[in-house]
Each structure stands twice: as structure tokens, then as C-alpha cells.
Amino acid sequence: MKEKSTNYHKAQKYAFWLFARRNHSEKEIRDKLGKNYDNAVVDTVIEKLKKLKLIDDEKFAKEWTEYRLRHNKSKNFIMRELNRKGIPRETVSGILSSLEIDETEMAYDTIKNKLTRYKKLEPLKAKSKIFQFLAGKGFSYDTIESVICKFTKGGGQNTDESC
């Protein structure tokens, strides 16, 4: 196993380089620095970054959420992503609940480019494709059902009486 470095300045330089590329959570920086640097060095660099206000998990989570929402990512998708980045579930829930998000509209926007292709398919196959695509993006069953209803009503394929 490779010996971990104790060079504080190299670790700090690497951390600054990471932040020059994009914002990071504390866990991300810890994980990246921890691969090559001693734990004591990582802790010292983290403290320095906090003093400089480069590490602020709440600010990071807000920015990340807004960015992902602009790219039509679902609440569930964002929640999972931020949890992997070390942001507590409660923090993410608070941020998501403070924003007005119409997930049905977002899901419809996510899939609307594919809808012309799906209109050519038989209704059951089209619904299945929509469901699989949106479920893969983290949208809930209820949201997907709403999108399917909107699609079938708008496309003249409404064979389902539940919409």
C-alpha cells in the first residue's frame, strides 16, 4: 500500500484546484484528499477551507439543487445525489420544500422531445417506454402517471379511463 503524504501545501493546492473547477461538499473534499494525504493533513486543509468559506455544505446543496432542477432532475434524483455527496437528508428536504417545484411539468419537459417517437408506438408500449425513462430519472410513480395521462390525452391515444 502506498504511503500517504503529509505535505500540507500540496494538499491545500490540490483542494484549491478542485474548487477552481466547481464547488464541493466537505465529504467530497475529504474523499478526494483522503486518497493521497494523511488524515491529519486532510483535517487541517478542511478547517482552512471552512475558514475561507469555501466549504459550506448548505450553500453547496442549494446551488447544486438549483443547477439540477434547471436540468429537469427529479427531487428523488437530487436527494440521492446530495446524500452521496454527504449532505444530510434533512438539509436537502428543507431546500427542496422551500422551492416551488412542479415535478409533473418537469417530467413532461424531460420527455417531450421523445414524445413524437412514442406517438408512433402502440399505446401500451409507449406508456411502458415513458414509464421506464422517467423512472430512471428518479420521478415518482404518481408523477409518471400524470405525464402518461397528459401524453395520452394530448396524443389522442387515451385508451385508459383513469386519466
Side-chain angles (χ1 to χ4, degrees):
M1 189 168 117
K2 190 175 110 177
E3 182 82 19
K4 292 191 177 189
S5 174
T6 56
N7 188 332
Y8 168 78
H9 295 291
K10 276 180 93 173
Q12 184 178 341
K13 186 177 178 182
Y14 178 54
F16 286 144
W17 178 79
L18 289 170
F19 276 102
R21 296 176 65 218
R22 75 163 172 87
N23 239 345
H24 292 273
S25 69
E26 180 178 340
K27 180 185 181 302
E28 287 180 304
I29 295 297
R30 257 186 210 290
D31 291 348
K32 289 177 186 288
L33 290 176
K35 289 179 185 174
N36 299 312
Y37 298 96
D38 188 63
N39 286 341
V41 171
V42 172
D43 290 340
T44 309
V45 171
I46 295 286
E47 288 309 309
K48 172 85 171 186
L49 294 171
K50 283 182 176 180
K51 282 181 188 167
L52 294 172
K53 295 189 180 359
L54 284 174
I55 291 182
D56 180 348
D57 281 353
E58 187 145 343
K59 181 181 169 213
F60 168 76
K62 284 178 186 171
E63 290 172 356
W64 190 266
T65 299
E66 290 167 1
Y67 171 76
R68 299 312 260 163
L69 287 171
R70 282 193 304 274
H71 289 87
N72 291 329
K73 301 298 180 188
S74 71
K75 289 180 184 180
N76 291 335
F77 185 91
I78 294 167
M79 179 76 76
R80 283 194 309 264
E81 240 181 2
L82 286 173
N83 284 152
R84 280 194 302 271
K85 293 177 180 299
I87 308 300
R89 190 171 279 284
E90 305 77 46
T91 303
V92 181
S93 292
I95 291 168
L96 289 171
S97 65
S98 72
L99 301 170
E100 287 188 30
I101 302 167
D102 182 355
E103 276 216 317
T104 303
E105 197 58 41
M106 190 185 308
Y108 194 79
D109 287 347
T110 301
I111 201 158
K112 69 181 171 191
N113 294 336
K114 296 181 176 288
L115 291 180
T116 51
R117 249 183 280 155
Y118 294 156
K119 287 180 181 177
K120 297 173 186 169
L121 299 173
E122 60 186 62
L124 202 57
K125 184 128 177 123
K127 287 178 184 181
S128 174
K129 291 261 188 200
I130 292 169
F131 193 90
Q132 288 173 345
F133 181 79
L134 291 176
K137 300 290 181 191
F139 289 100
S140 70
Y141 178 81
D142 293 338
T143 301
I144 296 170
E145 280 296 310
S146 298
V147 171
I148 289 173
C149 284
K150 192 173 180 178
F151 166 71
T152 54
K153 282 180 183 174
Q157 292 190 3
N158 196 358
T159 58
D160 195 337
E161 303 304 319
S162 65
C163 293

